[in-house]
Amino acid sequence: MTGLRVGHGYDVHRLAQGRPLILGGVTIPWEKGLDGHSDADVLTHAVMDALLGAAGMDDIGRLFPDCDNAFLNISSLTLLERVMKALTEQGWQVVNIDATLVAQAPKIAPYRQEMRCALARTLGIRPEQVNVKATTEEHLGFTGEGLGISAHAVALIQRPRFLIADEPVSALDVTIQAQILKLLRELRDELDLSYLFISHDLNVVYQLCDRVLVMKEGRIVEQGTVDDIFDHPKDDYTRQLLAAAE
């Protein structure tokens, strides 16, 4: 059986005066916003339901009910982080997201790339793994009449094949280290392997890994993409490790 799963998500919100318009985590200046219990980010909601559907989990209405004040005006990107954490705990990773906004107005095109980056950053994947499109319904239906905005999303997720390596090149000659790293890269690309490295060697982490978990005394202090962790560390312990390796 394949380790791939696909899910579809759909959401709709009514437009209302006095609300910010937030789509894909991006605030768009416009005369109306979307009404809802959270920030009513219809695009992010559709993405969440697509991911949850692919993983066979409950939808966002059950996970984040609108009768719970803990979610009142909450950022949907915060909810997306929680969804991604739940998927990661079950061994899933995102392959790609394809989403479509349906709105008569405003124009979405100027904000598409920013939306892609915001969603990708929250999911811990690359922007090219997230696609955001927009269309109108030619003045037909509730979106065409300007009453609301809807969104569809399709998510592809996978449970990858893992190779676990504990300090794979520690205490080896530099030349041998380079050969082993080359072999690991070739295996990853040819066999579509995912590696779980337990390593203090930041060179290995930087060259071969997409995501990083930083642990101290058995506790995760920070996690994210390699670029985020190396370029924008948030935890003092992570900053100390990076400084010591310079």
Side-chain angles (χ1 to χ4, degrees):
M1 180 180 292
T2 178
L4 295 169
R5 295 289 184 274
V6 66
H8 174 261
Y10 173 78
D11 197 34
V12 58
H13 283 274
R14 182 186 302 274
L15 284 162
Q17 297 285 351
R19 291 275 298 184
L21 180 59
I22 301 172
L23 298 172
V26 177
T27 300
I28 297 174
W30 202 49
E31 61 193 37
K32 295 180 181 180
L34 291 171
D35 194 21
H37 188 68
S38 64
D39 65 1
D41 183 343
V42 67
L43 175 59
T44 303
H45 291 182
V47 169
M48 286 192 285
D49 263 346
L51 290 166
L52 291 165
M57 301 170 69
D58 284 337
D59 61 29
I60 59 173
R62 291 178 178 270
L63 294 178
F64 314 118
D66 59 11
C67 59
D68 189 337
N69 283 335
F71 307 120
L72 182 63
N73 295 323
I74 193 171
S75 167
S76 293
L77 291 185
T78 298
L79 301 181
L80 182 59
E81 286 181 358
R82 299 181 187 181
V83 168
M84 192 62 219
K85 182 175 184 292
L87 264 68
T88 301
E89 288 173 350
Q90 291 194 10
W92 295 108
Q93 65 178 206
V94 179
V95 178
N96 76 295
I97 301 289
D98 186 27
T100 302
L101 279 163
V102 184
Q104 195 63 40
K107 294 294 184 182
I108 303 300
Y111 308 98
R112 284 182 60 248
Q113 187 59 27
E114 192 176 353
M115 293 177 192
R116 293 176 66 194
C117 290
L119 292 169
R121 185 167 55 249
T122 305
L123 293 169
I125 59 179
R126 299 183 300 276
E128 54 265 33
Q129 293 173 263
V130 180
N131 192 32
V132 175
K133 308 183 299 296
T135 188
T136 71
E137 290 189 309
E138 300 295 337
H139 300 283
L140 298 173
F142 68 91
T143 62
E145 294 174 7
L147 299 177
I149 294 177
S150 65
H152 295 264
V154 176
L156 182 64
I157 63 176
Q158 67 175 351
R159 276 201 176 109
R161 292 179 293 173
F162 277 98
L163 176 64
I164 300 176
D166 187 353
E167 298 290 1
V169 296
S170 294
L172 295 176
D173 178 84
V174 174
T175 303
I176 298 176
Q177 285 187 10
Q179 292 174 349
I180 291 177
L181 290 175
K182 181 175 181 292
L183 175 61
L184 290 172
R185 276 193 295 269
E186 290 173 351
L187 288 173
R188 178 193 61 190
D189 296 339
E190 292 176 11
L191 301 179
D192 195 26
L193 285 176
S194 292
Y195 294 129
L196 174 59
F197 284 123
I198 303 168
S199 179
H200 292 84
D201 190 330
L202 297 185
N203 181 51
V204 172
V205 173
Y206 190 76
Q207 288 196 43
L208 287 172
C209 297
D210 296 316
R211 292 185 58 81
V212 181
L213 290 176
V214 182
M215 300 189 69
K216 180 182 181 183
E217 297 175 352
R219 180 176 61 89
I220 297 173
V221 299
E222 188 168 357
Q223 60 180 306
T225 66
V226 168
D227 288 341
D228 281 345
I229 296 296
F230 276 72
D231 296 339
H232 308 289
K234 298 176 182 177
D235 189 84
D236 287 340
Y237 180 67
T238 306
R239 286 192 283 267
Q240 292 171 15
L241 289 176
L242 293 171
E246 290 180 351

